[in-house]
Amino acid sequence: MRILIRTSRWAIWARRLGSVAVPLVVLSVLLHHLRLIGSEAFVNAALGGALVAGLAVLAGIIALARLWQTGDRGWGSSLLGLFLGLLCLVPYAWYGSLALTYPPVTDLATTARDGLPLVFEPGTVSMPPPLLLTRQQAETLFPSAETRIYPLSQAQVFALVEQLVADAGWDVRRVRAPDAAFDPALLNAQIVTLPGWRDEVVLRVTGDEASAVVDMRSASLHAPHDFGANGRRIERFLADLDTAVTVLLRDNPTINQPEIEPDADVVVEDDAPPAN
């Protein structure tokens, strides 16, 4: 007598759901990154991808449990669906952990935000109201996101800032270089995050020929939560700027040092007789 071995329906559904979840998650991120879909559509697609991935994991677990009991076929499909579902859920788990670590915030600055104006996106009429941290929260979560003061001229520090922005590959939108009147120098740049959100960075350098003060602002243009990205970006950039200034001062120890002129009252006699 021939024994019929069935293929578990749970295994089939686990594979199907996992195969749908992968392109749903990848395509939603890709289309948002390329600005082919709006932020609201991206959020809905991302949530849909998470739901499908979760169902794939659930179906895979149920399929494996039933296969262990019944001896039906479908181990490969069950494991594939489980793997694809878990793979799709990894970024959601990562951002979930960040959401538990950082409170909702979309705008962070080292000083008053009105002195660091945003350019916004071309054609953008308005932005959602920013979510801000209290001063105590900012100092606790991002202790290194503070104003920097350097013993270099405004122009020298601004040149370092421009170089670091270029090295980071940020899209510069506006530059107001230092001038002879030592007006505040500004640089606005836009950053596209991996999920496709647009962030804007504002850097301001004030000072004179002897010293320079650097302030920075990083804001999410339309994201509902930055997951700590703005604060970490400010800390990382200012740490790189600290390093760049340190290297410049180390390699040029006399930079920005006043020249010492010889005293006109001191006369050096070259023809003085040698001492006995």
Side-chain angles (χ1 to χ4, degrees):
M1 184 177 74
R2 184 177 180 182
I3 300 176
L4 179 62
I5 302 178
R6 300 175 302 174
T7 300
S8 171
R9 290 186 178 181
W10 284 105
I12 294 173
W13 275 107
R15 185 194 66 211
R16 289 175 178 175
L17 290 169
S19 300
V20 171
V22 172
L24 187 57
V25 172
V26 173
L27 286 177
S28 63
V29 172
L30 182 62
L31 293 176
H32 189 230
H33 198 89
L34 297 175
R35 309 188 76 172
L36 298 178
I37 61 174
S39 299
E40 185 177 352
F42 166 68
V43 171
N44 292 332
L47 292 176
L51 177 61
V52 174
L55 291 175
V57 171
L58 179 62
I61 293 174
I62 294 176
L64 292 175
R66 290 181 64 85
L67 290 175
W68 182 265
Q69 295 175 348
T70 64
D72 291 343
R73 291 184 301 180
W75 287 94
S77 297
S78 302
L79 292 173
L80 179 61
L82 181 62
F83 172 75
L84 293 177
L86 290 174
L87 182 65
C88 291
L89 290 177
V90 167
Y92 295 93
W94 167 249
Y95 281 105
S97 66
L98 292 178
L100 294 175
T101 303
Y102 300 101
V105 59
T106 58
D107 198 336
L108 189 71
T110 59
T111 187
R113 294 163 53 249
D114 54 357
L116 301 167
L118 298 175
V119 174
F120 303 107
E121 295 179 287
T124 299
V125 178
S126 62
M127 283 175 45
L131 301 176
L132 306 175
L133 293 176
T134 65
R135 184 177 183 84
Q136 183 178 3
Q137 286 177 318
E139 292 176 351
T140 301
L141 293 171
F142 309 107
S144 298
E146 296 181 334
T147 300
R148 296 297 201 270
I149 303 176
Y150 300 113
L152 294 172
S153 70
Q154 180 191 31
Q156 290 167 335
V157 173
F158 192 77
L160 294 177
V161 167
E162 286 189 301
Q163 184 59 53
L164 289 176
V165 169
D167 293 343
W170 296 347
D171 181 15
V172 177
R173 294 300 182 90
R174 180 179 67 180
V175 176
R176 188 168 75 194
D179 55 25
F182 298 111
D183 292 327
L186 289 170
L187 185 149
N188 291 68
Q190 195 174 97
I191 303 159
V192 182
T193 64
L194 183 60
W197 299 108
R198 264 66 181 174
D199 296 346
E200 185 170 344
V201 165
V202 188
L203 287 148
R204 184 184 67 186
V205 182
T206 57
D208 49 31
E209 288 290 348
S211 65
V213 179
V214 179
D215 282 297
M216 184 174 180
R217 177 184 181 185
S218 184
S220 302
L221 297 180
H222 295 95
H225 195 316
D226 73 348
F227 300 100
N230 289 308
R232 295 195 304 271
R233 180 181 296 122
I234 292 176
E235 286 191 318
R236 186 165 55 247
F237 184 89
L238 293 180
D240 291 341
L241 184 58
D242 291 341
T243 302
V245 170
T246 300
V247 171
L248 181 62
L249 292 173
R250 181 198 64 193
D251 296 341
N252 303 271
T254 60
I255 193 170
N256 252 27
Q257 296 297 320
E259 295 184 2
I260 301 177
E261 298 181 358
D263 193 341
D265 296 333
V266 177
V267 178
V268 178
E269 297 182 0
D270 295 333
D271 299 331
N276 292 330

